[in-house]
Amino acid sequence: MKLEKILDRLSSIEKNSFIKIIDNIISSNKDIAKQVEKILVPTSKSIKSVDNQNIAKIFDLTSPEFMDFIKAEFQEASSQLDILIDIITRDGNCIMKQDWFSRLYDAELKQLKVKIKNLSSEFENDKSELSESRKRDYKIYQSCLSTAFHNDVANNREAKITSDELSIILTLSKVLGLSQEEIKLINYSILPVKKTEILDVVNNLKNIGVIFYSKKENTIFVADEMVRLLRKVRKKEVADKFYRRTLKLLREPIINSIAKKHNIDRKLSYSEKIEEIIKEGVPYTDLLLNDIYKEGINLTEKKKTLNELCEKGLLIPNLKGSTLNEKIDSLIQYFEAVEKDEKVGISIDGYEKLLTELNKSLPALNKNLKDHFELQDEYVLKADFLLDYNIKPRDILDLIDKADIEKFKKDNGVKLRGDDILNILEHYKDVENLYLENYENVAYRNYNQLKENGIQIKESELGLKFEELTRVIFKGLGFNVDEQLKQELNTSKDLMDILINLGKNEIIIIECKTSKESGYNKFSTVSRQLKSYQNLSLKNNLRIVKILLVAPEFSDDFVTDCEMDVEMNLSLLTASTLLNIYEAFKESKYQEFPYVLFRDIVINQERIIKALSK
C-alpha cells in the first residue's frame, strides 16, 4: 500500500514517530531543507501539518538519509533488525494484524534456531556436502565477527559492533559471496537469538519509522516505498517476485549449482529450491554475474547469455549497457520502475475477472496464494485486496505450475500458441478500462510507459485519445455530453473538444490539452482559442456556466495568467485530479456530478472528494 494511502488511515499520533525522524533529517541537512521548502511554500505550513500527499513527496526526498538512519540502528547488537526486516519486506507482509505478525515472528525465530543448529553440525561433519572451501569461508567470517563483537567485552565495554567494524564485516561477506541468510545464521550463532515481547517489537519498529501501527484497526502497515528502502538496507536489489521470475527461466542443473553453493538441499523439488534461493537472499547481482553460467564461460558468452535471458525469457528487448555490470544495473532499474508503477498491466475489472476464473479452474489456488504470501484473510483472490499488497496479475501467474496454466488456458479459451502468461494477460486486458487507468500517461504523452502497460497506440493518436477518454469520464460523471449540439456550433475555424448540455440553454465547454513538457505554459494561445468558443456560444444565445481546461499539469505562470483573466469563467483541471474525482464520484450518492463544485481557478481535488463523500 502506498505511503499516502496509509497515512490517510492513521491519526496524527500514529504518524508522529515517522514525521519526527523526517523532521530531524530536514533540520540537519540544508540542501534537503531547501527542497522541502519548495513543497511547503504554497501552504506555508510545517511538515507536521502538511497534507499526506506532500509528506510522501518529502519522504521521497529524504529516503537516502532515512536509509542511513536505519543502517545506524543495525549497530545495536540486540536489535534483531535483520530478522524483522526480512519478515516485513516479504511479498504479502506489508499489512498484518498484530497477532499475525507475532506468529510470523515466533515461526521465524524457531526456524532460525533449527538452521543455526544444522549449520553448526555441518561445520563438524566430515561427510557434509559443504565443500572445504565453503567451510573455510564461513569460519573466516565467523571468526572476524566474533572478534568484533567480543573485543568490547574484553575491554570492559558494552558489546557492540562499531560502524567501522560493520563496514569491514560487510565487505568481507561480499568478497566471500555469502547470502543474507548465511550471514544471519553465522551472526546469531555468536549472538544468541532472544525472543522479545511482540509489543516491544512493534513499538521499536514504529519508533524508528519503518512501520505504522493503527490501534483502531490493530494493524501494522509497511508502505511500499519503505519496503523498497528496507530491501536496499538488506542488500536485496529486487523484489522476490522479480527474482522468482528470473530463476524460473534457468534450467535445473543451474539451480542445483546455486543451491549447492549456498548449502540448500538439492533433494527439494525445482520450485522449492527456487523459493529457498530467494529466502537465502543471494544477491541478484552476484547471481547474474557468476551463478547462472556454465563453468569456464568467457565474458562475451556471459553477455550473450544474459541478453538472451532478458530478451527471450523476461521479454525485455535492448537491455542498456555495454559491460555485464551495466546490463545488470539496467535490469534492476527496469524492475524498480515496474514495481513503482501503480498500473497493473490489465484493467482492475480484467484482474477481477481473471481471479474469479482462476478460482473456478484451480480451486486450490486461493490456499496456495494465502500460504505463499502469508496472508491472514481466508479468501484472497480479490483484485483490490491484492493490489494493496502490491501483488499484480503477473505475480499471481508466475506462481502457478505449467500444468495448471495449461488447464486454465483450455478452460477459459485463452490462445494456446505463444507465451502462456502474455496470452492470459492479453485475454483479460479490458482495453477501455485499461486506457482510463492510464489516463495521466496519455495526458503526458508518455508513450514508453503506455507501451510497457500493454497499450498499443501511435504517438500521433494520443491527443485524440485524451479527448476521447475525457469525454468518457464526463459521461461517467452523469453529464449530457452533447455531440449533436457541438457539431451544430462548430465551424471550420472553431472546433470545441467537448460540450456539456445542462439544459435551458446552459452549457459547459471543455478543452483538452496533452503535453510532454512539465507544466502546461501556453496561456495566450489557449485563451484566444477558448474566447473564440465563448463568442461562438454567445452568438447562439447560450449561457456558458463554466469553461474547463484539462491538461496533465499547469505552470505557475499559466495559473497566474488564468487568475488575471476577467473575460472567461475558466477553471484548470489536471488529468490526475479529474480521474480521482471520477473514482470518488462512483462511490458517492450522486447520480450527476454537482458542477457548482468546479469553482476554483485550479480545481481542488481534496475539497471536491470530501464534498462527494458527505
Side-chain angles (χ1 to χ4, degrees), residues 466-503:
F466 184 59
E467 182 185 322
E468 178 191 321
L469 293 173
T470 306
R471 193 178 296 115
V472 168
I473 291 173
F474 275 96
K475 283 181 181 177
L477 290 171
F479 288 118
N480 175 16
V481 177
D482 196 331
E483 289 297 302
Q484 185 177 342
L485 180 58
K486 186 183 80 170
Q487 295 300 329
E488 290 172 5
L489 293 175
N490 278 351
T491 68
S492 57
K493 290 183 179 180
D494 298 319
L495 295 167
M496 299 181 209
D497 288 343
I498 299 170
L499 184 146
I500 291 173
N501 190 343
L502 300 172

Side-chain angles (χ1 to χ4, degrees), residues 3 11 34 36 46 52 67 86 104 121 125 156 247 310 367 407 436 473 487 510 562 580 588 597 606:
L3 176 59
S11 69
K34 287 178 183 177
V36 170
S46 71
N52 294 328
M67 186 160 71
D86 286 349
L104 294 179
S121 65
N125 186 0
N156 199 27
L247 290 172
C310 293
K367 184 180 185 303
K407 179 182 184 304
L436 282 174
I473 291 173
Q487 295 300 329
I510 300 165
C562 184
N580 289 332
S588 74
L597 293 175
E606 288 184 17

Side-chain angles (χ1 to χ4, degrees), residues 28-45:
S28 58
N29 191 309
K30 290 181 180 177
D31 290 336
I32 290 175
K34 287 178 183 177
Q35 293 178 68
V36 170
E37 204 173 299
K38 291 177 184 176
I39 295 172
L40 299 179
V41 162
T43 53
S44 301
K45 293 177 181 176

Side-chain angles (χ1 to χ4, degrees), residues 306-307 319-331:
L306 183 60
N307 282 337
L319 195 66
K320 292 179 183 176
S322 54
T323 69
L324 195 62
N325 281 93
E326 286 172 351
K327 288 178 181 295
I328 293 167
D329 287 343
S330 294
L331 182 57

Side-chain angles (χ1 to χ4, degrees), residues 9 83 140 181 248 290 317 340 440 444 529 537 588:
R9 294 173 66 160
I83 297 172
I140 289 170
E181 190 68 12
K248 287 184 78 172
N290 306 303
K340 286 178 184 177
E440 199 172 355
Y444 276 109
Q529 192 178 3
S537 302
S588 74

Side-chain angles (χ1 to χ4, degrees), residues 378-392:
E378 284 306 314
Y379 186 74
V380 301
L381 294 174
K382 298 171 287 188
D384 288 341
F385 172 83
L386 291 172
L387 288 173
D388 277 344
Y389 289 86
N390 203 17
I391 299 170
K392 298 175 182 177

Side-chain angles (χ1 to χ4, degrees), residues 352-362 408 411-412 427-428:
E352 198 67 60
K353 187 180 178 187
L354 168 64
L355 292 169
T356 301
E357 294 186 354
L358 277 169
N359 191 44
K360 287 179 185 175
S361 288
L362 309 172
F408 176 73
D411 287 351
N412 294 282
H427 187 77
Y428 290 92

Side-chain angles (χ1 to χ4, degrees), residues 3-4 6-7 10 12-26 47-48 52 54-60 62-63 66 69-70 205-213 221 223 225-226 229:
L3 176 59
E4 182 187 347
I6 292 172
L7 292 172
L10 301 172
S12 56
I13 294 173
E14 290 163 346
K15 305 174 194 175
N16 195 45
S17 298
F18 175 75
I19 301 244
K20 188 177 178 182
I21 293 165
I22 292 178
D23 212 10
N24 289 337
I25 290 170
I26 295 166
I47 186 175
K48 291 179 181 178
N52 294 328
N54 281 321
I55 289 175
K57 288 180 183 176
I58 292 167
F59 174 69
D60 188 50
T62 59
S63 57
F66 207 112
F69 166 75
I70 294 168
L205 290 175
K206 182 170 67 69
N207 290 339
I208 62 170
V210 300
I211 69 166
F212 296 99
Y213 178 62
F221 296 96
E225 297 92 328
M226 183 62 72
L229 185 148

